[in-house]
Amino acid sequence: MSLDADLRVDRRRLKRRLAFWRIAAVILGLAAVLFALNREEPILKPSHIARLTISGIIADSAERDGMIRDAAKDPSVKALIVHIDSPGGTVVGGESLYRDLRAFAAKKPVAVTMGEMATSAGYMAALGGDRIFARDGTITGSIGVILQTANVTGLLAKLGITTEALKSAPLKAVPSPLEPLSPEAREATMAVIRDVFDMFKGLVAERRALTPGEVEKLSDGRVFTGRQALKERLIDEIGGEPEALLWLGTAFGIDTNLPIEDLEGSKEALL
């Protein structure tokens, strides 16, 4: 073979190699772009029903609020089942959870199931659901507000201890266990309690379609069994998660065979 022929063969081989590496570079570049896009926009999970479990004392929780908001925006979440087993908690804790559930319900259905107990702030939160389920023996209700304090001035006096508070005004930091409750302080504290109580009763009247008079009769702080609560229209149905799923299927056409996935978060976020 002549020298010119050898050169032509070498050139063809070189061109093939360059073409191969150019194609490989393009493929690698496309793979890198797709990887970056997937990191920013994760692949959607299969359709499912979300479950949120609320147990123990209910307090305000930014993490819990965020989980509910994220679930509302997630197209793979078709509905939310909230299981409440709580004796109550703070006013803001119950109110914030109620507001979050109503915001979720504006986009997707919310079913609430009650466990052993869902009272006070636990019942306030339950009002955020589109339908409330309870067992026959579930303890619920306790519609009311309580603020507790103590007066230890007598005990301190016996121990020879005196306290003194320098305040900008008489109603600052009252009630306090270190001073007797004055009539003015008692009235100011009761005004706060009455205002929160009116808010609670307003939620019950609105969400349960009860008249103010009907709510007033149910708002003396007493608790009810699930059977009693159904009779008083504080809940919608006796049952648990199976009945909640049946309702989601009947009322909204949601596939009741969809998997149920718990919303993820720290234990504290669910309290």
Side-chain angles (χ1 to χ4, degrees), residues 2-271:
S2 67
L3 181 59
D4 288 341
D6 288 340
L7 288 174
R8 285 196 296 271
V9 170
D10 288 340
R11 286 196 189 98
R12 283 196 294 269
R13 289 174 179 170
L14 180 59
K15 288 180 180 178
R16 284 197 295 268
R17 288 174 185 157
L18 288 174
F20 169 78
W21 287 113
R22 284 171 183 162
I23 294 171
V26 171
I27 292 173
L28 288 173
L30 290 173
V33 171
L34 290 174
F35 177 75
L37 289 174
N38 284 335
R39 289 189 63 185
E40 294 177 2
E41 298 182 9
I43 298 174
L44 293 178
K45 296 188 295 184
S47 296
H48 63 280
I49 296 170
R51 181 198 290 125
L52 174 66
T53 300
I54 304 296
S55 61
I57 302 301
I58 298 175
D60 196 18
S61 169
E63 187 175 353
R64 181 191 64 215
D65 297 345
M67 287 193 298
I68 297 173
R69 286 194 298 269
D70 289 345
K73 293 184 291 186
D74 186 346
S76 67
V77 175
K78 302 306 178 184
L80 177 65
I81 295 177
V82 183
H83 181 72
I84 300 178
D85 199 340
S86 168
T90 67
V91 174
V92 172
E95 180 192 357
S96 63
L97 182 51
Y98 165 82
R99 304 287 180 198
D100 287 337
L101 295 182
R102 291 315 303 149
F104 187 103
K107 300 178 179 179
K108 306 169 188 179
V110 179
V112 172
T113 63
M114 295 178 172
E116 299 283 348
M117 178 179 292
T119 55
S120 195
Y123 181 68
M124 180 187 289
L127 293 171
D130 294 310
R131 194 166 181 85
I132 304 176
F133 299 80
R135 298 297 185 184
D136 286 324
T138 296
I139 300 301
T140 188
S142 190
I143 302 168
V145 182
I146 183 171
L147 190 157
Q148 292 178 310
T149 186
N151 184 350
V152 299
T153 55
L155 174 61
L156 293 178
K158 291 180 181 180
L159 297 174
I161 299 173
T162 59
T163 64
E164 186 174 5
L166 303 178
K167 302 190 291 185
S168 59
L171 298 182
K172 177 66 177 176
V174 293
S176 168
L178 301 180
E179 61 181 274
L181 194 64
S182 69
E184 295 79 12
R186 182 179 298 278
E187 177 53 33
T189 303
M190 283 303 303
V192 171
I193 292 173
R194 284 193 293 267
D195 187 61
V196 176
F197 189 30
D198 286 343
M199 181 269 287
F200 195 170
K201 290 187 292 184
L203 293 181
V204 176
E206 177 187 350
R207 296 298 303 151
R208 302 309 305 165
L210 298 172
T211 66
E214 290 172 325
V215 173
E216 202 65 42
K217 292 178 182 179
L218 302 172
S219 302
D220 58 1
R222 75 179 70 185
V223 296
F224 304 89
T225 65
R227 285 155 50 94
Q228 292 173 322
L230 179 62
K231 181 180 178 181
E232 300 293 351
R233 292 151 52 202
L234 292 175
I235 67 168
D236 296 294
E237 191 174 334
I238 297 297
E241 193 166 283
E243 288 74 18
L245 286 170
L246 180 61
W247 171 72
L248 289 171
T250 303
F252 296 93
I254 293 174
D255 183 0
T256 56
N257 292 316
L258 286 176
I260 299 176
E261 296 186 13
D262 291 309
L263 292 183
E264 296 180 356
S266 66
K267 182 178 180 182
E268 290 75 12
L270 303 181
L271 297 181

